[in-house]
PDB file of all heavy atoms in Angstrom:
ATOM      1  N   LEU A 232     -65.121 -25.841  -8.192  1.00 84.00           N
ATOM      2  CA  LEU A 232     -65.560 -25.798  -9.634  1.00 84.00           C
ATOM      3  C   LEU A 232     -66.399 -26.965 -10.110  1.00 84.00           C
ATOM      4  O   LEU A 232     -67.424 -26.800 -10.811  1.00 84.00           O
ATOM      5  CB  LEU A 232     -64.293 -25.689 -10.503  1.00 84.00           C
ATOM      6  CG  LEU A 232     -63.581 -24.355 -10.610  1.00 84.00           C
ATOM      7  CD1 LEU A 232     -62.293 -24.412 -11.380  1.00 84.00           C
ATOM      8  CD2 LEU A 232     -64.492 -23.313 -11.346  1.00 84.00           C
ATOM      9  N   MET A 233     -66.012 -28.102  -9.496  1.00 84.00           N
ATOM     10  CA  MET A 233     -66.803 -29.306  -9.901  1.00 84.00           C
ATOM     11  C   MET A 233     -68.131 -29.337  -9.301  1.00 84.00           C
ATOM     12  O   MET A 233     -69.159 -29.694  -9.995  1.00 84.00           O
ATOM     13  CB  MET A 233     -66.037 -30.609  -9.490  1.00 84.00           C
ATOM     14  CG  MET A 233     -64.724 -30.736 -10.202  1.00 84.00           C
ATOM     15  SD  MET A 233     -63.831 -32.206  -9.564  1.00 84.00           S
ATOM     16  CE  MET A 233     -64.843 -33.528 -10.085  1.00 84.00           C
ATOM     17  N   ALA A 234     -68.302 -28.687  -8.151  1.00 78.00           N
ATOM     18  CA  ALA A 234     -69.589 -28.762  -7.370  1.00 78.00           C
ATOM     19  C   ALA A 234     -70.518 -27.697  -7.829  1.00 78.00           C
ATOM     20  O   ALA A 234     -71.689 -27.838  -8.102  1.00 78.00           O
ATOM     21  CB  ALA A 234     -69.329 -28.601  -5.927  1.00 78.00           C
ATOM     22  N   ASP A 235     -69.977 -26.435  -7.987  1.00 76.00           N
ATOM     23  CA  ASP A 235     -70.815 -25.216  -8.308  1.00 76.00           C
ATOM     24  C   ASP A 235     -70.861 -24.923  -9.724  1.00 76.00           C
ATOM     25  O   ASP A 235     -71.783 -24.364 -10.207  1.00 76.00           O
ATOM     26  CB  ASP A 235     -70.274 -23.986  -7.655  1.00 76.00           C
ATOM     27  CG  ASP A 235     -70.383 -24.134  -6.066  1.00 76.00           C
ATOM     28  OD1 ASP A 235     -70.859 -25.134  -5.632  1.00 76.00           O
ATOM     29  OD2 ASP A 235     -69.851 -23.246  -5.431  1.00 76.00           O
ATOM     30  N   GLY A 236     -69.819 -25.351 -10.563  1.00 80.00           N
ATOM     31  CA  GLY A 236     -69.797 -24.969 -11.933  1.00 80.00           C
ATOM     32  C   GLY A 236     -69.087 -23.718 -12.165  1.00 80.00           C
ATOM     33  O   GLY A 236     -69.039 -22.806 -11.223  1.00 80.00           O
ATOM     34  N   SER A 237     -68.425 -23.588 -13.345  1.00 83.00           N
ATOM     35  CA  SER A 237     -67.648 -22.413 -13.589  1.00 83.00           C
ATOM     36  C   SER A 237     -68.434 -21.124 -13.661  1.00 83.00           C
ATOM     37  O   SER A 237     -67.995 -20.067 -13.149  1.00 83.00           O
ATOM     38  CB  SER A 237     -66.878 -22.569 -14.924  1.00 83.00           C
ATOM     39  OG  SER A 237     -67.816 -22.764 -16.010  1.00 83.00           O
ATOM     40  N   ASP A 238     -69.744 -21.215 -14.143  1.00 83.00           N
ATOM     41  CA  ASP A 238     -70.583 -19.952 -14.235  1.00 83.00           C
ATOM     42  C   ASP A 238     -70.893 -19.373 -12.828  1.00 83.00           C
ATOM     43  O   ASP A 238     -70.836 -18.235 -12.622  1.00 83.00           O
ATOM     44  CB  ASP A 238     -71.789 -20.253 -15.002  1.00 83.00           C
ATOM     45  CG  ASP A 238     -71.558 -20.475 -16.496  1.00 83.00           C
ATOM     46  OD1 ASP A 238     -70.542 -20.053 -17.015  1.00 83.00           O
ATOM     47  OD2 ASP A 238     -72.412 -21.025 -17.168  1.00 83.00           O
ATOM     48  N   GLN A 239     -71.231 -20.359 -11.969  1.00 77.00           N
ATOM     49  CA  GLN A 239     -71.505 -19.920 -10.574  1.00 77.00           C
ATOM     50  C   GLN A 239     -70.316 -19.333  -9.884  1.00 77.00           C
ATOM     51  O   GLN A 239     -70.507 -18.298  -9.138  1.00 77.00           O
ATOM     52  CB  GLN A 239     -72.100 -21.098  -9.787  1.00 77.00           C
ATOM     53  CG  GLN A 239     -72.371 -20.851  -8.348  1.00 77.00           C
ATOM     54  CD  GLN A 239     -73.618 -19.937  -8.192  1.00 77.00           C
ATOM     55  OE1 GLN A 239     -74.110 -19.352  -9.044  1.00 77.00           O
ATOM     56  NE2 GLN A 239     -73.943 -19.717  -6.891  1.00 77.00           N
ATOM     57  N   VAL A 240     -69.189 -20.013 -10.034  1.00 77.00           N
ATOM     58  CA  VAL A 240     -67.886 -19.517  -9.453  1.00 77.00           C
ATOM     59  C   VAL A 240     -67.571 -18.142 -10.045  1.00 77.00           C
ATOM     60  O   VAL A 240     -67.196 -17.207  -9.230  1.00 77.00           O
ATOM     61  CB  VAL A 240     -66.835 -20.469  -9.814  1.00 77.00           C
ATOM     62  CG1 VAL A 240     -65.422 -19.863  -9.276  1.00 77.00           C
ATOM     63  CG2 VAL A 240     -67.010 -21.778  -9.068  1.00 77.00           C
ATOM     64  N   LYS A 241     -67.798 -17.866 -11.252  1.00 81.00           N
ATOM     65  CA  LYS A 241     -67.612 -16.477 -11.796  1.00 81.00           C
ATOM     66  C   LYS A 241     -68.487 -15.433 -11.147  1.00 81.00           C
ATOM     67  O   LYS A 241     -68.069 -14.351 -10.878  1.00 81.00           O
ATOM     68  CB  LYS A 241     -67.769 -16.523 -13.301  1.00 81.00           C
ATOM     69  CG  LYS A 241     -66.654 -17.253 -14.070  1.00 81.00           C
ATOM     70  CD  LYS A 241     -66.897 -17.231 -15.592  1.00 81.00           C
ATOM     71  CE  LYS A 241     -65.884 -18.054 -16.363  1.00 81.00           C
ATOM     72  NZ  LYS A 241     -66.097 -17.996 -17.770  1.00 81.00           N
ATOM     73  N   ARG A 242     -69.739 -15.857 -10.952  1.00 78.00           N
ATOM     74  CA  ARG A 242     -70.738 -14.940 -10.371  1.00 78.00           C
ATOM     75  C   ARG A 242     -70.370 -14.513  -8.883  1.00 78.00           C
ATOM     76  O   ARG A 242     -70.359 -13.481  -8.413  1.00 78.00           O
ATOM     77  CB  ARG A 242     -72.083 -15.519 -10.397  1.00 78.00           C
ATOM     78  CG  ARG A 242     -72.848 -15.464 -11.687  1.00 78.00           C
ATOM     79  CD  ARG A 242     -74.265 -15.725 -11.579  1.00 78.00           C
ATOM     80  NE  ARG A 242     -74.525 -17.131 -11.253  1.00 78.00           N
ATOM     81  CZ  ARG A 242     -74.677 -18.093 -12.207  1.00 78.00           C
ATOM     82  NH1 ARG A 242     -74.553 -17.782 -13.436  1.00 78.00           N
ATOM     83  NH2 ARG A 242     -74.869 -19.303 -11.831  1.00 78.00           N
ATOM     84  N   ILE A 243     -69.883 -15.654  -8.178  1.00 75.00           N
ATOM     85  CA  ILE A 243     -69.446 -15.325  -6.774  1.00 75.00           C
ATOM     86  C   ILE A 243     -68.278 -14.486  -6.758  1.00 75.00           C
ATOM     87  O   ILE A 243     -68.130 -13.529  -5.953  1.00 75.00           O
ATOM     88  CB  ILE A 243     -69.153 -16.714  -6.130  1.00 75.00           C
ATOM     89  CG1 ILE A 243     -70.479 -17.552  -5.990  1.00 75.00           C
ATOM     90  CG2 ILE A 243     -68.416 -16.540  -4.788  1.00 75.00           C
ATOM     91  CD1 ILE A 243     -70.245 -19.005  -5.463  1.00 75.00           C
ATOM     92  N   ALA A 244     -67.231 -14.803  -7.633  1.00 75.00           N
ATOM     93  CA  ALA A 244     -66.028 -13.987  -7.667  1.00 75.00           C
ATOM     94  C   ALA A 244     -66.330 -12.535  -8.060  1.00 75.00           C
ATOM     95  O   ALA A 244     -65.733 -11.623  -7.563  1.00 75.00           O
ATOM     96  CB  ALA A 244     -65.071 -14.617  -8.682  1.00 75.00           C
ATOM     97  N   HIS A 245     -67.334 -12.381  -8.989  1.00 78.00           N
ATOM     98  CA  HIS A 245     -67.614 -11.010  -9.413  1.00 78.00           C
ATOM     99  C   HIS A 245     -68.201 -10.222  -8.259  1.00 78.00           C
ATOM    100  O   HIS A 245     -68.120  -8.954  -8.177  1.00 78.00           O
ATOM    101  CB  HIS A 245     -68.605 -11.051 -10.557  1.00 78.00           C
ATOM    102  CG  HIS A 245     -68.910  -9.627 -11.100  1.00 78.00           C
ATOM    103  ND1 HIS A 245     -70.037  -8.986 -10.692  1.00 78.00           N
ATOM    104  CD2 HIS A 245     -68.335  -8.958 -12.109  1.00 78.00           C
ATOM    105  CE1 HIS A 245     -70.083  -7.897 -11.368  1.00 78.00           C
ATOM    106  NE2 HIS A 245     -69.140  -7.851 -12.209  1.00 78.00           N
ATOM    107  N   ASP A 246     -68.959 -10.840  -7.348  1.00 73.00           N
ATOM    108  CA  ASP A 246     -69.628 -10.211  -6.241  1.00 73.00           C
ATOM    109  C   ASP A 246     -68.661  -9.855  -5.061  1.00 73.00           C
ATOM    110  O   ASP A 246     -69.015  -9.000  -4.181  1.00 73.00           O
ATOM    111  CB  ASP A 246     -70.760 -11.067  -5.694  1.00 73.00           C
ATOM    112  CG  ASP A 246     -71.960 -11.137  -6.687  1.00 73.00           C
ATOM    113  OD1 ASP A 246     -71.979 -10.242  -7.569  1.00 73.00           O
ATOM    114  OD2 ASP A 246     -72.721 -12.117  -6.585  1.00 73.00           O
ATOM    115  N   ILE A 247     -67.545 -10.546  -5.038  1.00 73.00           N
ATOM    116  CA  ILE A 247     -66.598 -10.369  -3.942  1.00 73.00           C
ATOM    117  C   ILE A 247     -65.696  -9.144  -4.137  1.00 73.00           C
ATOM    118  O   ILE A 247     -65.049  -9.052  -5.219  1.00 73.00           O
ATOM    119  CB  ILE A 247     -65.782 -11.584  -3.697  1.00 73.00           C
ATOM    120  CG1 ILE A 247     -66.582 -12.729  -3.284  1.00 73.00           C
ATOM    121  CG2 ILE A 247     -64.668 -11.315  -2.659  1.00 73.00           C
ATOM    122  CD1 ILE A 247     -65.896 -14.046  -3.131  1.00 73.00           C
ATOM    123  N   HIS A 248     -65.655  -8.161  -3.283  1.00 73.00           N
ATOM    124  CA  HIS A 248     -64.886  -7.044  -3.419  1.00 73.00           C
ATOM    125  C   HIS A 248     -64.378  -6.482  -2.055  1.00 73.00           C
ATOM    126  O   HIS A 248     -65.180  -6.197  -1.222  1.00 73.00           O
ATOM    127  CB  HIS A 248     -65.658  -5.869  -4.117  1.00 73.00           C
ATOM    128  CG  HIS A 248     -64.934  -4.609  -4.324  1.00 73.00           C
ATOM    129  ND1 HIS A 248     -63.933  -4.551  -5.240  1.00 73.00           N
ATOM    130  CD2 HIS A 248     -64.908  -3.414  -3.686  1.00 73.00           C
ATOM    131  CE1 HIS A 248     -63.294  -3.323  -5.171  1.00 73.00           C
ATOM    132  NE2 HIS A 248     -63.973  -2.630  -4.232  1.00 73.00           N
ATOM    133  N   TYR A 249     -63.084  -6.486  -1.906  1.00 71.00           N
ATOM    134  CA  TYR A 249     -62.427  -6.003  -0.662  1.00 71.00           C
ATOM    135  C   TYR A 249     -61.628  -4.732  -0.934  1.00 71.00           C
ATOM    136  O   TYR A 249     -61.133  -4.627  -2.103  1.00 71.00           O
ATOM    137  CB  TYR A 249     -61.541  -7.108  -0.085  1.00 71.00           C
ATOM    138  CG  TYR A 249     -62.232  -8.227   0.603  1.00 71.00           C
ATOM    139  CD1 TYR A 249     -62.331  -9.439  -0.043  1.00 71.00           C
ATOM    140  CD2 TYR A 249     -62.805  -8.007   1.884  1.00 71.00           C
ATOM    141  CE1 TYR A 249     -62.946 -10.510   0.665  1.00 71.00           C
ATOM    142  CE2 TYR A 249     -63.497  -9.065   2.431  1.00 71.00           C
ATOM    143  CZ  TYR A 249     -63.592 -10.289   1.966  1.00 71.00           C
ATOM    144  OH  TYR A 249     -64.313 -11.306   2.507  1.00 71.00           O
ATOM    145  N   GLU A 250     -61.584  -3.847   0.003  1.00 75.00           N
ATOM    146  CA  GLU A 250     -60.725  -2.706   0.010  1.00 75.00           C
ATOM    147  C   GLU A 250     -59.500  -2.984   0.871  1.00 75.00           C
ATOM    148  O   GLU A 250     -59.670  -3.311   2.019  1.00 75.00           O
ATOM    149  CB  GLU A 250     -61.426  -1.467   0.423  1.00 75.00           C
ATOM    150  CG  GLU A 250     -62.571  -1.079  -0.481  1.00 75.00           C
ATOM    151  CD  GLU A 250     -62.042  -0.452  -1.824  1.00 75.00           C
ATOM    152  OE1 GLU A 250     -60.919  -0.148  -1.879  1.00 75.00           O
ATOM    153  OE2 GLU A 250     -62.855  -0.458  -2.804  1.00 75.00           O
ATOM    154  N   PHE A 251     -58.302  -2.791   0.330  1.00 73.00           N
ATOM    155  CA  PHE A 251     -57.134  -2.994   1.055  1.00 73.00           C
ATOM    156  C   PHE A 251     -56.340  -1.652   1.401  1.00 73.00           C
ATOM    157  O   PHE A 251     -56.283  -0.786   0.475  1.00 73.00           O
ATOM    158  CB  PHE A 251     -56.161  -4.013   0.358  1.00 73.00           C
ATOM    159  CG  PHE A 251     -56.709  -5.241   0.085  1.00 73.00           C
ATOM    160  CD1 PHE A 251     -57.367  -5.500  -1.171  1.00 73.00           C
ATOM    161  CD2 PHE A 251     -56.617  -6.255   1.033  1.00 73.00           C
ATOM    162  CE1 PHE A 251     -57.964  -6.770  -1.386  1.00 73.00           C
ATOM    163  CE2 PHE A 251     -57.192  -7.500   0.773  1.00 73.00           C
ATOM    164  CZ  PHE A 251     -57.882  -7.727  -0.487  1.00 73.00           C
ATOM    165  N   GLU A 252     -55.847  -1.504   2.600  1.00 76.00           N
ATOM    166  CA  GLU A 252     -55.186  -0.198   2.982  1.00 76.00           C
ATOM    167  C   GLU A 252     -53.622  -0.660   2.850  1.00 76.00           C
ATOM    168  O   GLU A 252     -53.191  -1.563   3.520  1.00 76.00           O
ATOM    169  CB  GLU A 252     -55.534   0.137   4.327  1.00 76.00           C
ATOM    170  CG  GLU A 252     -57.018   0.650   4.468  1.00 76.00           C
ATOM    171  CD  GLU A 252     -57.343   1.124   5.824  1.00 76.00           C
ATOM    172  OE1 GLU A 252     -56.345   1.395   6.681  1.00 76.00           O
ATOM    173  OE2 GLU A 252     -58.438   1.331   6.169  1.00 76.00           O
ATOM    174  N   MET A 253     -52.914   0.155   2.043  1.00 75.00           N
ATOM    175  CA  MET A 253     -51.508  -0.037   1.935  1.00 75.00           C
ATOM    176  C   MET A 253     -50.797   1.215   2.225  1.00 75.00           C
ATOM    177  O   MET A 253     -51.175   2.284   1.679  1.00 75.00           O
ATOM    178  CB  MET A 253     -51.087  -0.577   0.607  1.00 75.00           C
ATOM    179  CG  MET A 253     -51.649  -1.996   0.280  1.00 75.00           C
ATOM    180  SD  MET A 253     -51.223  -2.520  -1.394  1.00 75.00           S
ATOM    181  CE  MET A 253     -49.422  -2.636  -1.206  1.00 75.00           C
TER     182      MET A 253
END
Side-chain angles (χ1 to χ4, degrees):
L232 278 173
M233 293 176 64
D235 295 356
S237 60
D238 291 340
Q239 176 69 354
V240 170
K241 287 179 182 178
R242 283 193 292 271
I243 293 173
H245 184 268
D246 292 337
I247 296 176
H248 179 71
Y249 283 108
E250 294 289 341
F251 301 93
E252 295 181 14
M253 298 180 63

